[in-house]
Amino acid sequence: MDDDSRTRRWRRRTDLPLAAASLVYLGAYAVHVLAPGLPRAVHLMLLTLSGAAWAFFIVDFLVCWRLTGGGLPRYVWRHRLDAVVVVLPLLRPVRILRTYEAVERRHGHTQLPIQARVMLYAGMSAALLGFAGALLVYEFEHDAPDATIRTFGDSVWWVCSTLSTVGYGDVVPVTPKGRIVAVVMMICGLALLGAVTGSFSSWLMQRFAGGDTNRPDADRAPEDRTPQDGRRPPGSTPGA
């Protein structure tokens, strides 16, 4: 069995457990940040859950590297998103989309056209990234001197205006960590907005073209196209 086959088998076996661990990590971190008044033992348990999930992500990355073979720097470069997720585990829930794709592949078909899937993935990614970004910014900002983001609601409002590329500027991060998160949110917002806009434009063009973009003769002149009943127009010659 070659390395690619072993890697695919490992990913099939760990897709669902990793998706569950992603949600556990995000949920535990959210409760830890948003409910500071809980007993110390509860916060310790939440941190333990987060640490265990993070360790699972690291083990998965290292196992995939060993199964693939080659040097670690080369593997990291070829799997940059996975490496970023290991360093920033709050982004791990975005990889749940890969689990959805894997389930669709197992069924042998997809339920949605490509444009709808891109818009769905972009929307889910924006929601997950926005929630994770709001948690981070709230944790970094709410106790900072001269902070304008004092509540989680302020943080959510800031994330929405940043991801949508509107940027009202009424609330802004003032700490270095908060501004780093802001840069990431800006980049992700531009990428997601471009993906959604491009997919929606492609869908509109396909609709305006009568849905014939997938037909073999869609790019031929009307008089050269073969009718649905197989008969050619009068006066036309085959191969003309």
Side-chain angles (χ1 to χ4, degrees):
M1 183 179 297
D2 57 14
D3 294 339
D4 289 341
S5 299
R6 290 187 297 172
T7 303
R8 285 195 295 269
R9 287 183 59 188
W10 170 262
R11 291 191 181 280
R12 284 197 300 268
R13 292 175 178 177
T14 58
D15 269 337
L16 291 178
L18 282 170
S22 302
L23 296 178
V24 168
Y25 184 92
L26 184 60
Y29 181 76
V31 175
H32 173 68
V33 172
L34 299 178
L38 292 176
R40 181 179 179 85
V42 176
H43 282 285
L44 181 60
M45 181 189 67
L46 294 172
L47 292 176
T48 301
L49 285 174
S50 300
W54 196 353
F56 189 15
F57 304 154
I58 296 174
V59 169
D60 172 68
F61 185 81
L62 293 177
V63 169
C64 290
W65 163 53
R66 296 302 299 171
L67 291 177
T68 303
L72 181 59
R74 181 182 178 184
Y75 181 82
V76 170
W77 177 251
R78 292 178 58 187
H79 300 81
R80 295 182 290 275
L81 180 57
D82 291 333
V84 170
V85 164
V86 170
V87 178
L88 302 173
L90 268 181
L91 299 180
R92 179 73 208 195
V94 179
R95 301 297 285 165
I96 293 177
L97 301 180
R98 188 174 68 183
T99 304
Y100 175 75
E101 293 178 347
V103 171
E104 282 195 327
R105 285 196 299 269
R106 290 174 188 175
H107 286 83
H109 65 279
T110 58
Q111 300 293 334
L112 298 173
I114 181 63
Q115 295 90 348
R117 292 205 307 273
V118 170
M119 289 187 283
L120 175 63
Y121 296 163
M124 294 176 63
S125 298
L128 292 170
L129 283 171
F131 185 62
L135 287 172
L136 282 172
V137 168
Y138 174 71
E139 183 181 18
F140 297 149
E141 295 289 321
H142 73 283
D143 284 336
D146 302 325
T148 58
I149 300 176
R150 293 292 185 182
T151 66
F152 185 66
D154 293 337
S155 183
V156 171
W157 168 251
W158 171 82
V159 164
C160 291
S161 62
T162 302
L163 281 178
S164 63
T165 70
V166 175
Y168 283 108
D170 50 348
V171 289
V172 294
V174 297
T175 64
K177 292 180 180 180
R179 288 177 176 176
I180 291 174
V181 176
V183 172
V184 175
M185 291 294 105
M186 293 174 194
I187 295 173
C188 292
L190 288 172
L192 293 172
L193 184 62
V196 172
T197 303
S199 298
F200 185 67
S201 300
S202 175
W203 177 79
L204 286 179
M205 292 178 64
Q206 185 174 2
R207 296 292 295 179
F208 290 154
D212 293 333
T213 55
N214 293 324
R215 287 177 51 187
D217 59 350
D219 57 346
R220 300 176 60 184
E223 61 272 12
D224 294 333
R225 297 178 183 174
T226 303
Q228 295 295 327
D229 59 3
R231 295 177 299 176
R232 300 186 61 85
S236 63
T237 58

